[in-house]
Amino acid sequence: MSSREVVVLSVGGVRFVTRASTLQQFPESRLARMVSDDDREFKLVNGEFFVDRDGALFSYIMDFLRTLQVSLPTDFSDYQRLQREAEFYGLYSLANLLSQEHLLKPRLEILEVRFSLQEMQAFFRIFGSCSTTIEALAEQITVFTGQQSGQGWNSPSPSQKPLVPLPLERPSHHDMVFLCGTEYSAGDQFVARYVSIKPDKRKLINGTNVLGLLLDTLLKDGFRLISTRTVPSEEKAECYTFERMKRAAGLAIMVNQTPGSSGVAQARRSQVQKGK
């Protein structure tokens, strides 16, 4: 059978269609031997290989063979069963990865938003347990500034003068600081700061509106609001705490394709999903 031919498998009543080359990623596995007719346990019935195993778990094995990555749903819990299936098919590199549950299980991620009002300005500080989340959020948020004449906090829209984007203040990899509103400059001049949060295209100057958009953005991104409180300080700050289960970084297999190799190789962190 050539590597360009299509193979049909019926695993526990679930039908899978793939290329022979996909099943031959690991030449010493039982799936590779099945394609070469070297494993008599897999019966060919009406042009389909019948496999009396768990079809739902086999879908994860097929995903691994197609991508050479282990990437499981956040609610996945059958690590031991999937490991047994991998061992049955002779995919020992996959079985070894599955034995390291701590690398694959999702982690609880905490994010905190602090918001305070001072005269005509609103101050925001965002803390996160995962630096990559803060980095991604910083790419969504843009602060624009410009001088306005005779305009204050409740200005409905920016003036026609060009606004200049400002970099967000990043005290560390795990937090960011920005503000919006107006600040008295000289005469009837005000320095105005507007905030835009992608994918929303509006430029908002009112701190309460920015807070509402920020909280809504976090909820749409899978976070769950777990507490609100007021932090006593020189300026009272409202504190909103969120959490979500963050998918573990995918693990990938580097396959050694040299002749005669078993295809078993070192696992590495996938660059598709980064996490700290």
Side-chain angles (χ1 to χ4, degrees), residues 215-261:
L215 300 186
D216 186 58
T217 299
L218 294 174
L219 292 172
K220 289 180 179 179
D221 202 27
F223 281 98
R224 183 172 67 94
L225 180 64
I226 59 174
S227 72
T228 60
R229 68 184 192 276
T230 300
V231 180
S233 60
E234 293 182 3
E235 297 296 333
K236 288 186 178 180
E238 298 175 18
C239 180
Y240 301 82
T241 303
F242 294 82
E243 69 174 17
R244 73 174 175 183
M245 295 302 294
K246 182 176 176 61
R247 183 190 298 271
L251 291 180
I253 293 291
M254 299 294 292
V255 179
N256 184 351
Q257 298 292 356
T258 57
S261 70

Side-chain angles (χ1 to χ4, degrees), residues 147-151 161 183-191:
Q147 280 199 336
Q148 312 295 320
S149 297
Q151 293 185 359
K161 296 179 181 179
E183 180 181 11
Y184 178 75
S185 176
D188 64 345
Q189 296 292 311
F190 290 85
V191 175

Side-chain angles (χ1 to χ4, degrees), residues 24 27-42 49:
Q24 293 170 325
E28 293 182 0
S29 71
R30 296 188 69 182
L31 292 172
R33 297 201 306 271
M34 176 193 71
V35 173
S36 303
D37 296 325
D38 291 335
D39 195 316
R40 301 300 178 184
E41 184 171 336
F42 300 105
F49 284 102

Side-chain angles (χ1 to χ4, degrees), residues 14-240:
V14 182
R15 194 168 182 265
F16 296 88
V17 181
T18 187
R19 293 181 180 274
S21 58
T22 301
L23 300 175
Q24 293 170 325
Q25 288 276 17
F26 297 85
E28 293 182 0
S29 71
R30 296 188 69 182
L31 292 172
R33 297 201 306 271
M34 176 193 71
V35 173
S36 303
D37 296 325
D38 291 335
D39 195 316
R40 301 300 178 184
E41 184 171 336
F42 300 105
K43 304 296 184 181
L44 191 61
V45 180
N46 297 325
E48 300 182 4
F49 284 102
F50 174 74
V51 185
D52 190 17
R53 303 293 293 191
D54 190 305
L57 292 178
F58 190 72
S59 65
Y60 298 115
I61 289 176
M62 281 303 308
D63 181 67
F64 168 74
L65 291 173
R66 287 167 174 151
T67 65
L68 298 181
Q69 293 184 15
V70 183
S71 183
L72 301 171
T74 55
D75 60 349
F76 185 82
S77 59
D78 288 337
Y79 292 94
Q80 291 185 349
R81 290 182 61 215
L82 185 55
Q83 181 181 347
R84 287 198 301 269
E85 293 300 294
E87 290 171 349
F88 170 80
Y89 292 110
L91 297 169
Y92 297 109
S93 55
L94 173 58
N96 289 337
L97 287 183
L98 291 168
S99 67
Q100 305 176 63
E101 291 185 30
H102 64 285
L103 297 178
L104 298 169
K105 284 185 175 179
R107 296 174 295 161
L108 182 64
E109 180 181 0
I110 302 295
L111 189 139
E112 183 179 277
V113 176
R114 292 193 178 187
F115 167 74
S116 63
L117 292 173
Q118 183 178 352
E119 296 181 354
M120 300 173 68
Q121 295 187 90
F123 294 82
F124 293 84
R125 187 161 191 170
I126 304 174
F127 303 84
S129 61
C130 180
S131 62
T132 54
T133 296
I134 295 297
E135 189 67 36
L137 191 57
E139 293 179 359
Q140 290 180 258
I141 298 174
T142 306
V143 178
F144 299 88
T145 185
Q147 280 199 336
Q148 312 295 320
S149 297
Q151 293 185 359
W153 175 268
N154 292 314
S155 171
S157 62
S159 73
Q160 298 302 312
K161 296 179 181 179
L163 297 175
V164 179
L166 290 176
L168 298 179
E169 185 180 341
R170 296 291 305 277
S172 74
H173 292 297
H174 290 271
D175 62 337
M176 72 175 80
V177 178
F178 62 92
L179 58 88
C180 66
T182 57
E183 180 181 11
Y184 178 75
S185 176
D188 64 345
Q189 296 292 311
F190 290 85
V191 175
R193 290 183 176 87
Y194 300 85
V195 174
S196 176
I197 305 177
K198 297 176 182 178
D200 194 286
K201 297 180 180 180
R202 291 173 295 170
K203 295 181 177 67
L204 302 176
I205 193 171
N206 184 288
T208 303
N209 293 340
V210 173
L211 176 64
L213 178 57
L214 175 60
L215 300 186
D216 186 58
T217 299
L218 294 174
L219 292 172
K220 289 180 179 179
D221 202 27
F223 281 98
R224 183 172 67 94
L225 180 64
I226 59 174
S227 72
T228 60
R229 68 184 192 276
T230 300
V231 180
S233 60
E234 293 182 3
E235 297 296 333
K236 288 186 178 180
E238 298 175 18
C239 180
Y240 301 82

